[in-house]
């Protein structure tokens, strides 16, 4: 698999991580601009609460809903994510850069096609759920893969009252049953609470 034009990354970063058939894989996507301890906490919480075998950090070339004017180069972001996500069961990939799309729905559809024997769970912070209804083909995401939402500072109420949460209210399971998610037919999701980490990519970019 060749690197796309103007993406200077080792081939290893552009490949999908190895996993055995039946493995429970958490998909944690984002621009991670920059990555911070709050991201790590979301990944660790999902890993433990959903009983995942691995968490794949999917570092996107660019979030379609965000301004790219202050977006750090993909090379530097994936290097920073790799250092933050140093864990025996966490993997980092810029596979999305090979697809020619940054839309989550397309990425998930491709992963399900390429790795049909894996049990995927989409991971997101509560702040992402609050705006999830603005994502392209968001319903196909919710109906294509189970989702685990991790609480984030100041986002609980907005997330749980958001259009996506209301639309799929009947598909929500108790957070104590989060380890069932990899085995459930979507739509299926849960909201898990944890110690809140106030770190923010926006604040870090602004020097706060």
């Amino acid at each position: 698999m060749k690197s796309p034009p103007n993406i200077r990354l080792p081939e290893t970063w552009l490949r999908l991580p190895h996993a055995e058939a039946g493995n429970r894989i958490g998909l944690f996507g984002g621009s991670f601009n920059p990555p911070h301890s709050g991201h790590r906490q979301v990944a660790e919480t999902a890993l433990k609460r959903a009983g995942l075998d691995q968490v794949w950090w999917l570092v996107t070339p660019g979030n379609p809903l965000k301004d790219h004017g202050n977006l750090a180069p993909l090379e530097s972001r994936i290097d920073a994510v790799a250092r933050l996500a140093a864990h025996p069961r966490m993997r980092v990939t810029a596979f999305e850069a090979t697809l020619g799309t940054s839309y989550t729905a397309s990425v998930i559809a491709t992963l399900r096609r390429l790795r049909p024997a894996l049990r995927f769970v989409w991971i997101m912070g509560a702040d992402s759920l609050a705006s999830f209804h603005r994502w392209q083909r968001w319903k196909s995401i919710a109906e294509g893969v189970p989702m685990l939402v991790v609480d984030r500072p100041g986002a609980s109420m907005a997330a749980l009252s958001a259009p996506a949460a209301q639309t799929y209210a009947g598909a929500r399971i108790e957070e104590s049953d989060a380890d069932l998610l990899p085995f459930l037919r979507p739509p299926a999701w849960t909201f898990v609470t944890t110690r809140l980490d106030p770190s923010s990519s926006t604040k870090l970019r602004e020097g706060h």
Side-chain angles (χ1 to χ4, degrees), residues 11-138:
E11 294 296 315
T12 51
W13 288 130
L14 298 172
R15 298 177 190 148
L16 285 179
H18 173 75
E20 300 294 334
N23 276 180
R24 296 156 293 181
I25 307 297
L27 302 174
F28 187 27
S31 53
F32 304 113
N33 185 43
H36 54 71
S37 57
H39 291 133
R40 170 72 183 229
Q41 184 185 48
V42 167
E44 286 184 333
T45 300
L47 187 69
K48 296 173 185 175
R49 300 290 286 276
L52 302 174
D53 294 297
Q54 296 179 28
V55 169
W56 292 0
W57 295 61
L58 307 176
V59 185
T60 178
N63 186 326
L65 295 179
K66 294 183 179 179
D67 179 14
H68 293 184
N70 57 6
L71 185 65
L74 178 60
E75 299 94 316
S76 62
R77 286 184 287 120
I78 196 167
D79 181 67
V81 170
R83 285 184 273 110
L84 180 71
H87 185 284
R89 290 193 286 151
M90 293 186 188
R91 305 287 184 268
V92 182
T93 177
F95 169 74
E96 191 176 309
T98 70
L99 300 182
T101 177
S102 293
Y103 290 106
T104 299
S106 298
V107 174
I108 289 176
T110 301
L111 289 172
R112 293 177 64 203
R113 176 174 55 82
L114 293 176
R115 300 290 181 87
L118 300 181
R119 298 181 180 275
F120 291 119
V121 173
W122 183 257
I123 301 166
M124 69 171 80
D127 45 347
S128 293
L129 181 63
S131 60
F132 186 55
H133 59 285
R134 296 176 54 211
W135 295 22
Q136 185 188 65
R137 293 167 49 211
W138 63 276

